[in-house]
Each structure stands twice: as C-alpha cells, then as structure tokens.
Amino acid sequence: MIISLLQDLEQQSLTRGIPIIGREKGAWLYDKVKEVQPERILELGTANGYSGSILGSDGAELLTIEIDPGIAREAQDHFDTLSINARIIIGDGVSEVQKLVKEKQNHGSFDIIFIDFAKNKYMDVLKDCLTLVRKGGFIIADNITMAGCQDFKQAVLKHSQLKTEIVKIKDGLSCSERIK
Ligand SMILES: C[S@@+](CC[C@H](N)C(=O)[O-])C[C@H]1O[C@@H](n2cnc3c(N)ncnc32)[C@H](O)[C@@H]1O
C-alpha cells in the first residue's frame, strides 16, 4: 500500500521539519480515495508530495498548488518515481484557485479538494472551492483544530451546501460533502 511506500519520505520529512499529514491521516485519506474513486483531485499545499502521492495513488489526475518552487521540485521527483499523474502549479493557492474558477468551463470540476496550505487563508478559498467541487464531491481540510482555521471550521459546519464531519486524528481534518 502507498503508505508503506512513503515510509522513507515520511521519516525524511520529520527529520527536516516538513509538515506533512503523516501516516495516520494518510491512511484515512487513502480510504477516502478508495471510497470516492475520484477522477480529478485538487490540492492546495503540495509540499514534498506526501499527501499528493496518497491522493493520486488510485490513478486520479491530481492538480496541486504550491508557493515554494524548491519543495515543488522535490514533489515532482516523488510523483515521477511513484507514477502519480500530477501537475503542480507554482503560485499562491488563493489566486490560482480564482484562476481555476474563471477557467472552469475548460477543465470541469473536481471530485475531491484537499486544503492544506496557509491556515489563515482557508476562508479565502472556501467559496471558490465550492464552485470547483462537484455535487457529491468532498472538500477536505487539514489541521482543522488549529487557531487559524476556526472561522473555516465554523463556516463548513454551518454551510447549507455542505454536510461536514470532523475527523479526530491528531489536530483534525474536516470532511465536507457538497450536498447541494
Ligand atoms: C502543511 S504543508 C503541505 C503538506 C502536504 N499537503 C502533505 O501533507 O504532504 C503546507 C504547504 O503549503 C505551502 N503554502 C503556504 N502558503 C501557500 C500559499 N499561499 N499558496 C500555496 N502554497 C502555500 C507551503 O509552502 C507548504 O509546502
């Protein structure tokens, strides 16, 4: 399974202080991918490609956004090694997602959107992510109990278009299905 293949990358990330989701959340995410059988996934916050490798492990097309070109190069190497069908956009998650909304007619919608970038910017992308995710698809956000994410957490819990559960692994994930 992909989590075992990523063991070395997980260890290296811990040693270098790269904040990846790690194996417990990774195993949950892998199960979600198996359940949803996504064709297209959007990720905000690529880092070295740990979570992206899990998201893309079942053959989905992964579009992932990262602001740091150096770490994105590492991610590309890992995606190549693991034959993950990924394209990395180098840029700011908020403005790149806005561009995707404008181009939506050219590329269609996503089955899963995974948000794991600047914690104080989650709210800035919520509306656009709702536009980009298909009905029945999922918006999943990492570190949901962190201080910077509380406005986002309350917004997804209350949102009339979303059915949200909080997954209690480490500092938590929110998992919101777009129901309308
Ligand atoms: C928590 S790490 C992502 C970890 C990755 N999802 C994983 O689990 O393997 C957050 C990443 O978001 C990137 N980032 C921070 N601010 C960003 C922004 N405004 N736009 C895009 N990426 C950003 C950071 O450079 C960092 O690599």
Side-chain angles (χ1 to χ4, degrees), residues 18-22 43-52 65-68 71 89 91-94 114-119 121 142-143:
I18 301 171
I20 57 156
I21 55 167
E43 177 182 58
L44 280 71
T46 320
N48 57 10
Y50 182 89
S51 56
I65 305 171
E66 171 57 53
I67 205 161
D68 174 348
I71 198 87
I89 298 175
D92 169 55
V94 178
F114 181 56
I115 305 176
D116 187 17
F117 75 138
K119 305 306 154 196
K121 294 193 174 177
D142 193 22
N143 312 112

Side-chain angles (χ1 to χ4, degrees), residues 93-106:
V94 178
S95 49
E96 292 302 328
V97 162
Q98 286 166 359
K99 283 187 213 163
L100 289 176
V101 169
K102 285 195 189 126
E103 296 159 5
K104 193 176 170 230
Q105 67 276 19
N106 301 334

Side-chain angles (χ1 to χ4, degrees), residues 120-150:
N120 59 351
K121 294 193 174 177
Y122 283 20
M123 265 312 276
D124 299 344
V125 294
L126 178 56
K127 188 165 171 280
D128 288 334
C129 286
L130 260 163
T131 307
L132 291 171
V133 75
R134 70 163 165 85
K135 194 171 158 198
F138 291 83
I139 297 173
I140 299 169
D142 193 22
N143 312 112
I144 200 69
T145 61
M146 280 176 68
C149 307
Q150 292 317 296

Side-chain angles (χ1 to χ4, degrees), residues 1 26-39 41 54-55 57-58 60 111-112 134 136-140 163 165 167 175-178:
M1 175 198 182
W28 179 88
L29 201 56
Y30 177 75
D31 287 346
K32 197 75 198 169
V33 167
K34 284 287 186 192
E35 174 197 319
V36 176
Q37 298 280 303
E39 289 179 7
I41 300 175
I54 294 167
L55 290 164
S57 63
D58 210 32
D111 305 298
I112 294 179
R134 70 163 165 85
F138 291 83
I139 297 173
I140 299 169
K163 189 174 128 204
E165 64 163 320
V167 180
C175 177
S176 307
E177 181 181 359
R178 192 187 141 198

